Amino acid sequence: MIGIILTQLISVIAVTAAFSAYTLSTSLKEQVIAGLEAACKSYAQVLAFSEASENTNSDNLETNMHKDTGFHYTFFEGDTRKRSSIDGVIGTKANDAVITEVLKNGKSYESAKVDIKGESYYVAYEPVRIDNQIIGMAFVGKKNSEIAHIINTRINLTVAVSLLVMMLSMIASVIYVLRIVKAIKDNVDAVNVLAEGNLSIQLSDKTMRRTDELGTMSHSLLRMADKLKGVIGNASTTADNLKDSADSLSSAGQIISTTAENVSSAVDQVAIGATNQAQSLQDAVSNVERINDAIDLIGESTDQMNDLSESMQANSEISADALNELKTASSDTSEAIDDIVGLIGNTNTAVASISEAVQIIDSIAAQTNLLSLNASIEAARAGDAGKGFSVVANEIRTLADQSASAAKDIQEVMQTLTSDSTKTMDAAHMVQEAVQNQQLTIRRTIENVNVLIENIGESVELTSQIVKNASDSKEATHVFAETIQNLSAISEENAASSEETRSAMTELSETVNQLATKASELDTLSGGLEKEMAFFHA
């Protein structure tokens, strides 16, 4: 088990370390490229500013930036290196691919492998623009050997940490597996003790305190031993009770035999009473027939009352349906008005939002106008160099004035729309209140009609019950008469059955004797059960 766990652990850590090294290498390369691109863009902006300002001293710019960042910087005037932190490259030209992409197309250029004086570099190029004219290129690069050294250092550190984690995990796994093996051995020993019939098993405290399946198994073994103790104790007690029950069953058989003889004597007396009962039942049949005639008269009257009640209920239900349809139509109208009120409210909210937006536009237009004025002043200070900027500032001022005028017109329209919407909202609220009053009146009318329908329904139900009870009574009298006649016949049959009962009691006596024999056999089986239970001991 230890070998399997160690093999799997080593495999997982090896794969993880290899994947981490690959991911780290890729990530560092991507970070270098991203850093070069960002640095090159910033360097291009600095160059544009320094070249545009003739009094700026930038002779040592690239060397200083190299010391601060570790990247190499080069300024190309056109396609020729003018300044650079790389020794011996000033005056050389860029390759054709860089010239085409950066100087001619005005785009960025990045590469992970560019040869400069026999040294491979990660590089990034950016065009340098002054007044939208490309005057040269900005170059930022770093030697591949330096990047490879950084990556290898990081990978070696990752592998070392992975090996350390692997060793610690192996040690922890071995200790954990040894504890599991010890717990398994304790449980196996306990099972072997149970197999020998000894229910007094013991397990170590460490195994009992485990919270995994082995700990659960140890607790289950102890519960099983306790359960077996209870079951075996109950089985022993049951065997004793079984023996006592067999003895009691034998005694009860003798009592039943004596009782059977007494029942035979009582059956003779029942036969005499059944003959007298048959005559009394014939007299009862005549009385039931007179009751049946009276029930027929009640049934005819209740049928007429039932027809009248059903007609009243049908008319009431038609009225209720009509009122419910009116209620539904009124509810639909109320919902439509509520929707209209909601839409008007939404319109008011939207108008308020538009007004706020227009105020913001007006504020922006004012600020823009102020900015254009400041720009005109600066352009005037710049003289001829600021004429183009002055034209742009005038156009911006014109647009700001137009925006302010349009914002004012929109605010006037919004005020008119808000006033009309408020009036519409007031009218909608008046209609809504009228519809609600109408719904209240309809609801009260429906409640009154429902009470009337309920009362009529109760009347119909009571009438139906009377009709049903009269019909049931009539049927009951017929059934009662038939039952009495059947009882008379049964009484006569009882007299004949008494003799058969006497014969059955004789057979019962014989059955009781057989039962006593089975009770003796049951006593023998209980003794065998006690011997089997003696195998287990606490």
Side-chain angles (χ1 to χ4, degrees), residues 28-39:
L28 288 174
K29 291 179 180 179
E30 291 175 352
Q31 289 179 7
V32 169
I33 293 295
L36 289 173
E37 292 176 357

Side-chain angles (χ1 to χ4, degrees), residues 368-484:
T368 303
N369 201 348
L370 181 60
L371 289 174
S372 67
L373 178 60
N374 292 333
S376 298
I377 295 172
E378 293 298 328
R381 290 178 180 177
D384 294 337
K387 288 182 178 181
F389 192 63
S390 175
V391 173
V392 174
N394 290 331
E395 290 297 327
I396 293 174
R397 186 186 303 110
T398 302
L399 292 174
D401 293 338
Q402 292 175 355
S403 298
S405 176
K408 181 177 180 181
D409 294 339
I410 293 173
Q411 284 181 335
E412 293 176 356
V413 173
M414 290 299 102
Q415 290 175 356
T416 302
L417 182 59
T418 301
S419 176
D420 294 341
S421 179
T422 301
K423 294 178 181 179
T424 305
M425 178 70 79
D426 294 338
H429 280 305
M430 294 176 62
V431 174
Q432 189 178 30
E433 184 178 357
V435 171
Q436 289 176 351
N437 293 332
Q438 180 184 9
Q439 284 184 324
L440 180 61
T441 303
I442 293 172
R443 190 180 300 111
R444 290 175 179 173
T445 303
I446 291 175
E447 290 175 355
N448 293 331
V449 172
N450 288 336
V451 172
L452 176 61
I453 293 174
E454 185 178 354
N455 293 334
I456 293 174
E458 291 176 356
S459 175
V460 171
E461 185 177 356
L462 291 174
T463 303
S464 299
Q465 289 179 357
I466 294 172
V467 174
K468 185 177 182 300
N469 291 334
S471 177
D472 292 343
S473 298
K474 182 177 180 180
E475 293 178 359
T477 55
H478 288 299
V479 174
F480 186 52
E482 292 177 356
T483 301
I484 293 175

